[in-house]
Amino acid sequence: MVTIYDVPADDLIEAVAARLEDRIDEPDWVEFAKTGAGKELPPEQDDFWYVRSASLLRKVAQNEPIGIERLATEYGSKKRGSNRYVVRPGEHEGGSRKLIRSSLQALEEEGLVTTASGEGRRVSDEGEAFLSEVATEVFEDLDRPELERYA
């Protein structure tokens, strides 16, 4: 049985995002929202919401139970201030907590993620099966000879 650890992360996230387009709805405000305080503009990808949701689902599966604050730290970036005058080193700013929370709530409504009271979010049994199924498909489609030993 293939797991999320057996396939490259970018291929898995791309495949999960394609599957999530049919399962969850994108909020109206996503096209205007920045991904964190360290960013100046919103993302330019058309399927950003689904890619971020797929990435969050993978992160929750790897690090469960995990909370919003830790996920915001992982999705944060360096805030440098003005582009004109860089007079001191940038500091780390967390990612958008609303974006993360909304995405996890959409995944929770779909039954892929559950809330563990006082601990954070966990992947449900249905979510685990969903990720394994997608990982199996990605693994079969990969044309990488160095991964054949894991089959």
Side-chain angles (χ1 to χ4, degrees), residues 90-104:
E91 295 178 0
H92 186 271
E93 284 288 328
S96 172
R97 287 158 184 80
K98 175 163 175 71
L99 192 70
I100 293 169
R101 190 178 311 107
S102 300
S103 179
L104 287 174

Side-chain angles (χ1 to χ4, degrees), residues 105-119:
Q105 287 170 350
L107 292 170
E108 205 169 331
E109 287 176 9
E110 194 58 38
L112 301 174
V113 175
T114 59
T115 302
S117 61
E119 296 178 352

Side-chain angles (χ1 to χ4, degrees), residues 2 4 21-22 37 39-40 59 72 86 107-108 126 130 134:
V2 180
I4 61 172
E21 287 183 20
D22 300 333
K39 301 292 183 180
E40 291 186 16
K59 284 251 191 230
V86 179
L107 292 170
E108 205 169 331
E126 182 182 337
F130 173 73
V134 175

Side-chain angles (χ1 to χ4, degrees), residues 3-143:
T3 64
I4 61 172
Y5 303 104
D6 299 332
V7 294
D10 52 348
D11 295 333
L12 178 69
I13 290 171
E14 185 179 312
V16 170
R19 287 261 192 107
L20 285 178
E21 287 183 20
D22 300 333
R23 295 183 75 164
I24 62 174
D25 296 325
E26 178 181 23
D28 299 332
W29 51 265
V30 169
E31 62 185 273
F32 307 110
K34 298 190 310 179
T35 59
K39 301 292 183 180
E40 291 186 16
L41 296 172
E44 295 180 358
Q45 285 177 295
D46 292 334
D47 61 344
F48 166 75
W49 175 257
Y50 303 108
V51 172
R52 178 59 61 99
S53 297
S55 175
L56 280 167
L57 184 60
R58 181 180 166 273
K59 284 251 191 230
V60 170
Q62 282 183 324
N63 305 319
E64 60 185 358
I66 189 168
I68 303 287
E69 286 296 318
R70 187 153 152 230
L71 285 168
T73 301
E74 291 189 21
Y75 283 99
S77 63
K78 196 177 270 195
K79 184 172 184 178
R80 297 193 178 273
S82 171
N83 287 336
R84 188 181 293 168
Y85 307 108
V86 179
V87 294
R88 69 179 218 189
E91 295 178 0
H92 186 271
E93 284 288 328
S96 172
R97 287 158 184 80
K98 175 163 175 71
L99 192 70
I100 293 169
R101 190 178 311 107
S102 300
S103 179
L104 287 174
Q105 287 170 350
L107 292 170
E108 205 169 331
E109 287 176 9
E110 194 58 38
L112 301 174
V113 175
T114 59
T115 302
S117 61
E119 296 178 352
R121 300 293 205 304
R122 292 181 183 269
V123 174
S124 66
D125 293 336
E126 182 182 337
E128 199 69 46
F130 173 73
L131 284 173
S132 294
E133 178 183 330
V134 175
T136 302
E137 289 180 8
V138 168
F139 189 78
E140 290 171 355
D141 292 343
L142 284 178
D143 186 29

